[in-house]
Amino acid sequence: MAIDSYANRFVCDLHAYEPGKPISETARELGLDPSQIVKVASNENPLGPSPLAKEAMRAALEEAHIYPDGGGWKLRSAIAGRLDVDLANVVLGNGSNEIIELLCHSFLNPRAELIAAEHAFVVYKLMATLFGAKYVEVPDPGFVHDLDAMADAITPDTRLVFIANPNNPTGTMVGQEALDRFMARVPDHVVVAFDEAYHEFLDDAPDVLKYVREGRNVAVLRTCSKIHGLAALRIGYGICSKGVAEILQKARQPFNANAIAQAGALAALEDGEHVEKTRAINREGLAFYEKAFAERGLEYVPSVANFILVNVRGGDRVFREMLQQGVIVRAMSSYKLPDWVRISMGTPAQNLRCLQVLDSVLPVAAV
C-alpha cells in the first residue's frame, strides 16, 4: 500500500503554495542571462536590502558558529520600543508566514473554523486545510474585505479570522471605522489576525495595535521581507496580546529566527532613509502603471501596497508569454482570478521593460 494511505488525508489533499518563479530557474530553463531577467512577481524590494542591514549581517557572520538568541531579546526589544508595546507582546517568526502557521497550530483543529476574504492571501486556506479545519470564505465586493459580512460569518466554532490590510493580491485596504465596528462584534473565543505585511507603504495606516494594548485576542503580523528588502532571510514578527503571544511562544521551534536575520532586521528597522527611498520609488511605480493601464483601457485595482492587479484577459497565457521574454509576473488563477496578473513595483527601468513586454503579448485591441 502506498505511503500516502497512512498519511493525514488533509495533508495529502493539499495543493502546495507556488511562489513567484525564481530568476535562476527561469534563466536555466530558457537559456537566458540572469542579469537580463526582470522579476516583478513576488512583491520584493527593487532597491535591495538596507545598506545598514547588509553591514550588520556581514558582522554577524563572524559568529555563525554560535546558536542565536532563542528569545530574540535585542530585536524584540527594539520592536516593542518602536511600537510602544511590551516585550511580552512580540513574537519572532521565520517570516511572518510562520506567525500564520503558529496561529493555526495553536487554534485550529478539525472542529474549528478559519474565516478570510474571498481574494485574500492563499496561505490562509492552505493552513486551514493543513490542520483539517473548515475554511470559511467571505465575498469581497470590489476586492475589499467586507468586515460586516465577516463578522456575520462568525460562529461558536470560529477560532481565527484573518484580515490582510493591505490585502494581497488586491492591494486594497479597509479603514479605521470598519475595523472598529468589526472588532466591537468579535467574541472572546475568536483570535483576529491582522496581516500587515505591507503596512509601511501606507500614508495613513489604521491603528490596530490599540487592540493589542487593550488586551483583545489579536495578532498583528509584520515582516522585514517587503519594505526592508530582507525576503531571503525569512524574518517577521507578530505583535500579540499577551495571552496569544504566550501560546505562540510555546508553539514555535527553538531558534526559529536565525542570528543573521535578527542582526539584519535590527539594523533595517533603524534605516529610515532606505524606507523612505523605497516608499518614493513605490509611489512612482504605482502612478506609472495606473496611468499606463488607464491609457490602454485595462481594468486594474488601485493599490496602496507595492504591487498592482490588472486584468489582461488571460493571466496564465500572458504570464507564459512574458516569461519567454525574460519578464516574470504573477498569474492569479490560484486566487480565482484567471484573467488577471499581479505586477510588483520595480525600478523605473524594470517597470518600463515590464510594460513594453506586456504590450507585446496583449491582444491588439487592448493596446
Side-chain angles (χ1 to χ4, degrees):
M1 186 176 292
I3 191 63
D4 62 1
S5 300
Y6 302 97
N8 291 328
R9 190 72 263 151
F10 42 82
V11 176
C12 294
D13 291 342
L14 193 69
H15 294 284
Y17 178 75
E18 294 185 12
K21 197 170 182 67
I23 290 175
S24 58
E25 181 180 326
T26 301
R28 187 171 60 249
E29 290 181 352
L30 301 179
L32 300 176
D33 179 351
S35 67
Q36 299 304 307
I37 294 174
V38 171
K39 183 186 179 189
V40 283
S42 299
N43 307 340
E44 295 152 336
N45 189 328
L47 299 182
S50 150
L52 297 184
K54 289 193 284 188
E55 182 180 350
M57 290 186 288
R58 291 188 188 101
L61 281 171
E62 297 300 322
E63 295 187 348
H65 59 295
I66 298 173
Y67 282 104
D69 174 3
W73 184 86
K74 285 185 178 180
L75 179 55
R76 288 173 62 221
S77 295
I79 293 167
R82 290 172 65 87
L83 301 179
D84 190 26
V85 297
D86 291 339
L87 178 67
N89 293 121
V90 182
V91 182
L92 298 185
N94 185 240
S96 59
N97 260 32
E98 189 185 23
I99 307 298
I100 297 172
E101 184 172 357
L102 293 178
L103 286 164
C104 294
H105 261 299
S106 300
F107 296 103
L108 294 188
N109 57 61
R111 299 176 303 280
E113 297 175 352
L114 183 157
I115 295 174
E118 181 178 5
H119 297 105
F121 189 32
V122 71
V123 167
Y124 309 148
K125 184 174 184 178
L126 295 180
M127 286 295 104
T129 304
L130 182 63
F131 292 98
K134 181 180 179 182
Y135 185 72
V136 180
E137 197 171 76
V138 177
D140 48 359
F143 298 119
V144 179
H145 281 53
D146 185 343
L147 295 189
D148 293 325
M150 293 177 77
D152 290 341
I154 293 173
T155 75
D157 294 324
T158 304
R159 291 296 174 267
L160 291 171
V161 178
F162 276 88
I163 299 171
N165 206 35
N167 182 51
N168 174 25
T170 65
T172 56
M173 183 184 76
V174 290
Q176 192 72 57
E177 182 181 351
L179 291 166
D180 288 343
R181 188 170 65 246
F182 171 79
M183 288 300 297
R185 296 181 58 190
V186 176
D188 289 340
H189 67 272
V190 174
V191 176
V192 180
F194 296 100
D195 191 341
E196 294 192 335
Y198 304 94
H199 170 82
E200 293 86 356
F201 292 98
L202 299 177
D203 292 324
D204 186 20
D207 178 16
V208 295
L209 291 178
K210 69 177 183 177
Y211 308 131
V212 174
R213 301 185 190 101
E214 292 168 359
R216 299 295 304 274
N217 292 327
V218 302
V220 181
L221 283 57
R222 298 205 181 155
T223 182
C224 295
S225 295
K226 306 303 180 185
I227 205 159
H228 297 297
L230 301 180
L233 295 212
R234 311 309 304 125
I235 183 76
Y237 53 96
I239 310 103
C240 315
S241 59
K242 290 182 181 178
V244 173
E246 287 175 2
I247 293 170
L248 300 192
Q249 293 286 21
K250 294 176 182 179
R252 71 176 178 84
Q253 290 290 316
F255 312 118
N256 63 324
N258 74 74
I260 313 301
Q262 289 188 45
L266 186 61
L269 291 174
E270 299 300 323
D271 195 346
E273 182 180 354
H274 187 69
V275 168
E276 287 308 313
K277 285 181 179 179
T278 303
R279 283 166 54 89
I281 199 170
N282 191 68
R283 286 192 293 267
E284 181 182 343
L286 287 174
F288 170 81
Y289 280 115
E290 289 185 359
K291 180 175 183 291
F293 295 156
E295 290 173 347
R296 289 156 175 76
L298 295 174
E299 180 186 8
Y300 68 92
V301 180
S303 174
V304 295
N306 68 336
F307 54 83
I308 193 164
L309 194 65
V310 59
N311 187 334
V312 293
R313 307 164 197 175
D316 288 341
R317 179 192 64 80
V318 166
F319 161 75
R320 290 192 303 269
E321 294 184 9
M322 292 185 72
L323 188 68
Q324 293 296 318
Q325 298 186 53
V327 175
I328 310 172
V329 296
R330 190 69 179 271
M332 288 284 104
S333 293
S334 61
Y335 286 89
K336 299 189 296 184
L337 296 167
D339 283 334
W340 300 70
V341 297
R342 189 191 67 197
I343 300 173
S344 307
M345 296 304 104
T347 64
Q350 289 171 334
N351 294 338
L352 181 59
R353 169 94 186 281
C354 177
L355 184 64
Q356 289 170 340
V357 172
L358 177 63
D359 280 344
S360 75
V361 302
L362 286 175
V364 174
V367 295

